[in-house]
Amino acid sequence: MTTTVPCRVATRRRFLLCPPAYFAVEYAINPWMDPSRPVDADAALRQWRTLRDTLRELGHRVETLQPLPRLPDMVFAANGASVVDGRVLVARFRHPERAPEAAAHRSWFRQAGYRPTVAQLPNEGQGDFLPVGDLVLAGSGLRTSPAAHREAEAALGRRVVSLQLTDPRFYHLDTALAVLSEDQIMYYPPAFTPESDRTLRALFPRAILATDRDADVLGLNAISDGRHVLLTDAAEGLAEQLRADGFVPVGVHLPELLKGGGGPKCCVLELHPAPGGHR
């Protein structure tokens, strides 16, 4: 029996990124971070620029958030806000080390023409809120409060599906799950409770399932435009599965930023859609 490979279509996206001008690992707020390991700041900047340039080469619009001193994790821009249908919910970080980043995001969105709402409950932006189809998949259990899911549902105007994370290595939803298209995801089942795994299998019966090897290199921290999928070049198994499902994997090399517990998606906040179409 021959299986038909779906025809995948890319759509032009708009992204917000923040250069790693002050990137360092000065504290440990996730299992990937080890302040005793040296970080090559110049290499981190080169790797980030390659990610930015790759997005542009694929036809996407890249906006830039100004980095601030003493905020080494600002490069992980995805955590600063959730943007759905032009509605913006600014993060409220759980750890005090990152808390000042929220004000920088709020200021950027205001200047860009949005009317952001600031979260009142712990919520780490697109790290834990991923739009797919007419839903928002939301992670909890490690960073974002379960109660914050209801707050986000009201602020973003979409139904939120709650998913519970269980493994500290996968501390945000976007480290354990990637949205590939309006009806397709890839994820790592052991990162979720059995109930959340069942929810995902029911919603996405054709989901791509990551192996331990690919999950262990944050292979699921990926960016998709519906056809091209940017993911770490170390996730070779996922790349093969993506090709078999009609996607075009684009490997990127970010080993320095991985020392902070982030991959391609952590560095990219997708803006859904550009100002003018938001409510």
Side-chain angles (χ1 to χ4, degrees):
M1 181 177 177
T2 302
T3 302
T4 302
V5 177
C7 180
R8 303 296 181 181
V9 178
T11 58
R12 189 170 183 265
R13 310 295 175 101
R14 185 168 177 245
F15 300 115
L16 179 64
L17 280 73
C18 182
Y22 304 103
F23 177 66
V25 179
E26 299 173 344
Y27 45 76
I29 58 174
N30 68 59
W32 303 85
M33 302 177 82
D34 180 354
S36 70
R37 294 177 64 197
V39 170
D40 186 332
D42 291 336
L45 183 57
R46 289 194 301 271
Q47 292 161 18
W48 177 88
R49 284 174 174 162
T50 298
L51 173 63
R52 177 200 61 190
D53 293 347
T54 301
L55 290 169
R56 287 176 172 168
E57 288 164 6
L58 291 172
H60 304 302
R61 181 176 172 184
V62 174
E63 308 282 357
T64 302
L65 175 67
Q66 183 68 30
L68 298 175
R70 297 183 295 281
L71 293 177
D73 283 338
M74 272 190 76
V75 63
F76 303 127
N79 306 145
S82 301
V83 186
V84 178
D85 302 327
R87 298 187 181 192
V88 179
L89 181 63
V90 176
R92 182 172 293 274
F93 288 91
R94 182 170 293 278
H95 294 285
E97 292 89 344
R98 298 198 65 183
E101 295 178 36
H105 277 267
R106 182 180 63 226
S107 177
W108 187 91
F109 279 104
R110 283 178 174 169
Q111 292 175 15
Y114 293 88
R115 290 180 291 177
T117 299
V118 178
Q120 299 302 305
L121 298 170
N123 153 0
E124 300 202 354
Q126 265 179 21
D128 273 328
F129 291 102
L130 297 175
V132 53
D134 59 357
L135 304 173
V136 175
L137 301 181
S140 70
L142 298 170
R143 291 289 184 90
T144 294
S145 160
H149 293 181
R150 306 286 72 82
E151 180 183 31
E153 193 168 61
L156 300 175
R158 280 205 202 178
R159 178 187 163 210
V160 170
V161 176
S162 295
L163 304 167
Q164 187 172 357
L165 298 162
T166 60
D167 187 330
R169 294 176 303 157
F170 307 106
Y171 55 95
H172 282 145
L173 183 63
D174 71 356
T175 64
L177 183 152
V179 173
L180 301 174
S181 69
E182 292 298 293
D183 61 359
Q184 179 66 307
I185 66 168
M186 59 182 183
Y187 76 104
Y188 182 54
F192 298 88
T193 62
E195 181 180 4
S196 293
D197 183 31
R198 287 192 294 271
T199 296
L200 289 170
R201 290 177 188 269
L203 288 171
F204 306 98
R206 295 185 58 255
I208 293 173
L209 305 182
T211 63
D212 295 348
R213 177 176 294 182
D214 286 335
D216 287 346
V217 293
L218 285 189
L220 291 157
N221 194 243
I223 309 152
S224 175
D225 63 12
R227 182 169 186 263
H228 308 96
V229 181
L230 279 70
L231 73 168
T232 174
D233 55 3
E236 297 176 357
L238 273 178
E240 291 180 8
Q241 292 189 76
L242 287 165
R243 287 191 195 95
D245 208 9
F247 294 97
V248 178
V250 180
V252 289
H253 192 60
L254 299 175
E256 289 305 308
L257 295 176
L258 182 61
K259 294 175 182 178
K265 178 63 184 77
C266 285
C267 297
V268 174
L269 175 58
E270 185 170 352
L271 309 176
H272 304 263
H278 67 280
R279 295 184 289 270

